[in-house]
């Protein structure tokens, strides 16, 4: 994800401006030493003022460089935003193609808040690392110029402190992530407990629910304690990197005082480097590691997991057989963790070329089963196979050529009649479209609209006319399996029978979600759904084997008569 940052040509410009920005740090100790030892303490006030003026000029330059650094930083961070958004969108689209039934609202948060957070944190991290490296380098160069032995005595503990901080980041990030995960578990357990409170009380499961809740809270407490213990690293970093050089300075001053003394200017210059720059830098580095580094590591890890595309599960390039069977292997489907299953442990095979009707009371899950069959919904358990391949793993283009779903609310768009009819078969000829229209009973409608090249305004069509257009579109497609999800409920009985017969004679597999039981009488296989219980067989078999089907049949016969 940081590739665009490393390759950006503005990196060199940022480093150049940053080097200029660190000039006051480098000159501070030297200017103080020279102003005292060669100026004021030597009785040369003018020399002392010149060195002070030099330090002031360096600080003025720093005010100018600040603006340039912010501009270069923005140029570096923006490509990261573009790269992250591209990765999130690519991964979201890829997963949506493989799992079309799952709505990915989290992608919105990833594109907005998480990407923005990564960009902001990356900018802050770049500045923090820049300050740490350049200030440390400037301090060591300055100390070398004043007292080489102190430069060595400072370089070793500062390097050790920074390495300790870097090594601790992975552990800190893991403990921070564990705390976040534990928080999420507490929220999930609380939600499940509240949603299922009535069932918990009815079943007398209060001790079990309390035990689960206590366990989640204890995991959160343990994660929080572990994170707090990691705070000792801050004190260690400051002690090693900040106070050891200070002790070295005190020891060296005491030793040189006994052997002839250290110049006052040198002592104050070294103290300037340590107190004015080194210690504040270490404090800021430790603070940035916790406030910038850890959130950045965690957010990047989450984005990496979210944008990972599992290539192993992809079956791109695997063709659907010319005559595929549709197999449902012990599938289950629920809309939530505490919801009752719509489909439960269903196994059924629809051989290629069969005419199948799905019947059952309203709201029992017939449309859900249809969505599972065509891959628009993902089962909570089990698998839906087209041929020998799980339907979610098939290439989206190949799958759309194999299965066509015609829903109850037909999709018609503004354009010509031909464009609407050829939507699923762009290369379809006039003859093909005309024959499909005649077969499903839409020829008179198309003639009334003005022919295939006439303009079509969806708002002027009735619901039944919309369904005739959609049925013609599906009939003209190359799909080897057509699923009609109450796609004829706005047609009269005769028009419905003509449309279903047209698809039955067309070849391939036809699955009809029946709103009239007459559709089941025309099918050679019937699937009955009733309160998550599923039975299948022929019309004659089910009228005696399925109480639900027999009840529907009696009600239908009564309503028809």
């Amino acid at each position: 994800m940081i590739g665009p940052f490393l390759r950006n040509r503005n990196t060199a410009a940022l480093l150049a401006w940053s080097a200029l920005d660190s000039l006051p740090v480098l000159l501070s100790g030297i200017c103080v030493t020279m102003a005292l030892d060669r100026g004021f303490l030597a009785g040369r006030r003018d020399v002392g003022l010149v060195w002070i003026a030099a330090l002031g000029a360096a600080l003025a330059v720093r005010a100018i460089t600040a603006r340039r650094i912010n501009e270069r930083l923005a140029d570096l961070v923006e490509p990261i935003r573009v790269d992250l958004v591209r990765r999130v969108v690519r991964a979201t689209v890829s997963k949506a193609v493989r799992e079309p039934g799952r709505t990915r609202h989290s992608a919105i948060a990833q594109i907005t808040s998480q990407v923005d957070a990564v960009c902001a944190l990356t900018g802050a991290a770049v500045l923090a690392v820049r300050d740490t490296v350049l200030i440390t380098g400037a301090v060591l160069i300055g100390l070398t110029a004043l007292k080489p032995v102190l430069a060595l005595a400072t370089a070793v503990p500062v390097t050790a402190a920074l390495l300790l901080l870097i090594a601790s980041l992975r552990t800190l990030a893991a403990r921070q992530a564990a705390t976040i995960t534990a928080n999420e578990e507490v929220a999930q357990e609380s939600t499940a407990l509240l949603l299922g409170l009535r069932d918990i009380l009815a079943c007398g499961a209060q001790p079990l629910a309390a035990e689960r809740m206590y366990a989640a809270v204890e995991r959160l407490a343990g994660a929080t304690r572990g994170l707090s213990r990691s705070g000792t690293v801050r004190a260690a970093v400051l002690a090693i990197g900040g106070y050891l050089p200070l002790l070295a300075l005190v020891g060296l001053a005491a030793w040189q005082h006994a052997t002839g003394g250290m110049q006052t200017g040198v002592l104050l210059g070294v103290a300037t480097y340590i107190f004015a720059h080194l210690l504040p830098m270490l404090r800021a580095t430790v603070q940035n590691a916790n406030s910038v580094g850890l959130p950045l590591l965690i957010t990047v890890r989450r984005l990496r997991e979210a944008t990972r595309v599992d290539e192993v599960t992809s079956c791109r390039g695997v063709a659907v057989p010319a005559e595929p069977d549709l197999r449902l292997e012990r599938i289950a489907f629920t809309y939530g963790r505490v919801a009752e299953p719509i489909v439960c442990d269903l196994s059924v095979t629809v051989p290629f070329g069969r005419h199948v009707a799905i019947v059952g009371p309203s709201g029992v899950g017939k449309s859900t089963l249809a969505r599972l069959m065509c891959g628009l919904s993902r089962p909570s358990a089990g698998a839906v196979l087209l041929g020998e391949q799980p339907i979610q793993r098939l290439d989206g283009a190949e799958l759309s050529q194999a299965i066509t779903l015609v829903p109850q609310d037909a999709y018609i768009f503004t354009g010509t009649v031909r464009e609407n009819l050829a939507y699923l078969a762009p290369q379809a000829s006039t003859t093909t479209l005309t024959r499909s229209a005649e077969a499903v009973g839409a020829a008179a409608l198309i003639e009334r609209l003005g022919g295939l090249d006439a303009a079509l305004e969806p708002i002027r069509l009735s619901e039944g006319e919309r369904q005739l257009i959609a049925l013609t579109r599906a009939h003209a497609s190359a799909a080897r399996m057509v699923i009609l999800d109450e796609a004829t409920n706005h047609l009269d009985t005769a028009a419905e029978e003509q449309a279903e017969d047209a698809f039955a004679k067309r070849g391939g597999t036809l699955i009809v979600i029946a709103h009239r039981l007459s559709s089941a009488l025309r099918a050679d296989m019937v699937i009955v759904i009733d309160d998550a219980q599923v039975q299948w067989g022929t019309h004659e078999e089910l009228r005696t084997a399925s109480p639900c089907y027999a009840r529907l049949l009696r009600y239908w016969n009564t309503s028809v008569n």
Side-chain angles (χ1 to χ4, degrees):
M1 292 185 180
I2 62 173
F5 166 73
L6 297 176
R7 295 190 298 268
N8 197 293
R9 66 178 183 273
N10 291 299
T11 302
L14 177 64
L15 292 175
W17 284 108
S18 296
L20 193 59
D21 186 62
S22 65
L23 188 60
V25 177
L26 175 62
L27 294 178
S28 60
I30 296 175
C31 287
V32 167
T33 299
M34 294 302 180
L36 290 174
D37 289 343
R38 297 189 181 182
F40 300 116
L41 296 180
R44 302 178 63 183
R45 183 179 302 176
D46 54 338
V47 175
L49 292 175
V50 168
W51 282 105
I52 296 298
L55 181 57
L59 292 173
V61 171
R62 189 174 194 179
I64 299 174
T65 61
R67 177 180 176 182
R68 298 297 184 184
I69 289 173
N70 288 332
E71 291 174 352
R72 300 288 77 79
L73 184 63
D75 292 336
L76 288 174
V77 171
E78 192 58 32
I80 296 178
R81 182 192 306 276
V82 174
D83 185 63
L84 285 174
V85 170
R86 184 182 295 114
R87 288 170 179 265
V88 172
V89 171
R90 185 188 300 121
T92 301
V93 171
S94 176
K95 292 176 182 179
V97 169
R98 297 203 315 269
E99 305 173 11
R102 297 179 61 185
T103 304
R104 302 186 180 278
H105 302 292
S106 60
I108 299 174
Q110 291 161 4
I111 293 176
T112 54
S113 61
Q114 292 186 21
V115 169
D116 286 342
V118 167
C119 292
L121 291 171
T122 300
V126 169
L127 291 179
V129 172
R130 182 209 66 154
D131 289 344
T132 300
V133 172
L134 292 181
I135 290 176
T136 302
V139 166
L140 293 178
I141 293 173
L143 288 176
T144 301
L146 297 179
K147 211 69 176 175
V149 65
L150 273 179
L152 179 61
T154 300
V156 174
V158 168
T159 302
L162 293 177
L163 290 177
L164 173 63
L165 181 61
I166 293 173
S168 68
L169 283 179
R170 183 180 295 274
T171 301
L172 288 172
R175 291 180 177 178
Q176 182 74 41
T179 303
I180 294 174
T181 301
N183 260 311
E184 293 174 348
E185 289 180 356
V186 169
Q188 291 172 358
E189 289 294 338
S190 300
T191 302
L193 188 149
L194 291 174
L195 291 176
L197 186 59
R198 183 174 59 182
D199 295 334
I200 291 172
L201 294 175
C203 298
Q206 297 95 321
L208 177 61
E211 181 181 350
R212 290 176 58 90
M213 193 70 230
Y214 291 151
V217 172
E218 183 56 35
R219 285 192 293 271
L220 175 58
T224 304
R225 286 193 294 268
L227 183 61
S228 64
R229 285 195 297 269
S230 301
T232 57
V233 175
R234 306 178 188 178
V237 169
L238 288 175
I240 295 172
Y243 296 114
L244 285 183
L246 180 60
L247 291 176
L249 172 62
V250 172
L252 183 63
W255 176 74
Q256 291 205 349
H257 176 72
T259 60
M262 178 185 293
Q263 290 180 306
T264 303
V266 173
L267 179 62
L268 291 179
V270 172
T272 298
Y273 283 126
I274 294 177
F275 285 103
H277 302 298
L278 189 61
L279 279 174
M281 179 273 295
L282 287 173
R283 292 192 185 97
T285 300
V286 172
Q287 180 62 34
N288 287 327
N290 287 274
S291 63
V292 176
L294 288 181
L296 179 60
L297 289 175
I298 294 170
T299 308
V300 168
R301 180 183 299 174
R302 289 200 165 195
L303 276 178
R304 185 184 294 117
E305 293 172 354
T307 56
R308 182 184 296 118
V309 178
D310 190 357
E311 299 294 342
V312 176
T313 62
S314 175
C315 287
R316 185 172 300 278
V318 177
V320 177
E323 298 183 353
D325 294 340
L326 178 68
R327 289 190 292 133
L328 282 65
E329 294 187 346
R330 306 197 67 177
I331 66 168
F333 183 83
T334 59
Y335 283 106
R337 294 177 58 189
V338 298
E340 291 293 327
I342 304 299
V343 179
C344 183
D345 198 26
L346 170 61
S347 297
V348 63
T349 297
V350 179
F352 179 78
R354 298 293 291 271
H355 179 181
V356 180
I358 301 177
V359 301
S362 297
V364 78
K366 301 187 296 297
S367 294
T368 299
L369 183 57
R371 292 176 62 84
L372 290 168
M373 286 178 166
C374 65
L376 290 180
S377 291
R378 186 182 185 90
S380 306
V384 180
L385 306 177
L386 190 61
E388 297 298 324
Q389 297 295 340
I391 201 167
Q392 268 78 25
R393 295 175 57 189
L394 292 172
D395 178 79
E398 184 69 27
L399 183 60
S400 65
Q401 290 292 317
I403 303 177
T404 289
L405 171 68
V406 185
Q408 176 180 347
D409 298 322
Y411 171 64
I412 308 297
F413 56 88
T414 301
T416 65
V417 174
R418 183 188 300 275
E419 289 169 342
N420 273 273
L421 298 183
Y423 182 71
L424 299 177
Q427 307 302 322
S429 64
T430 298
T431 301
T432 298
L433 297 178
T434 301
R435 287 177 178 172
S436 293
E438 292 174 349
V440 302
L445 170 62
I446 293 174
E447 182 179 355
R448 186 169 69 253
L449 292 173
L452 292 176
D453 296 316
L456 184 61
E457 298 181 35
I459 196 172
R460 297 183 179 275
L461 298 179
S462 67
E463 294 295 334
E465 290 170 337
R466 288 169 177 260
Q467 288 187 333
L468 286 174
I469 296 293
L471 290 168
T472 304
R473 175 194 297 159
H475 192 278
S477 73
R480 286 153 279 176
M481 179 184 300
V482 175
I483 301 177
L484 305 181
D485 184 5
E486 299 196 10
T488 60
N489 67 326
H490 293 293
L491 303 179
D492 59 36
T493 304
E496 177 185 68
E497 181 176 357
Q498 179 179 354
E500 289 184 10
D501 286 344
F503 281 100
K505 295 175 183 177
R506 173 180 175 271
T509 303
L510 173 63
I511 299 176
V512 180
I513 308 299
H515 70 286
R516 298 187 182 104
L517 214 58
S518 54
S519 296
L521 300 180
R522 289 188 289 269
D524 49 37
M525 178 179 178
V526 181
I527 298 176
V528 183
I529 304 179
D530 183 26
D531 293 333
Q533 300 298 316
V534 180
Q535 292 178 276
W536 64 90
T538 65
H539 165 72
E540 294 298 331
E541 292 170 344
L542 290 174
R543 66 189 304 175
T544 56
S546 171
C548 176
Y549 188 71
R551 185 172 64 252
L552 292 172
L553 189 61
R554 286 194 301 271
Y555 177 79
W556 179 71
N557 286 329
T558 302
S559 62
V560 170
N561 295 330

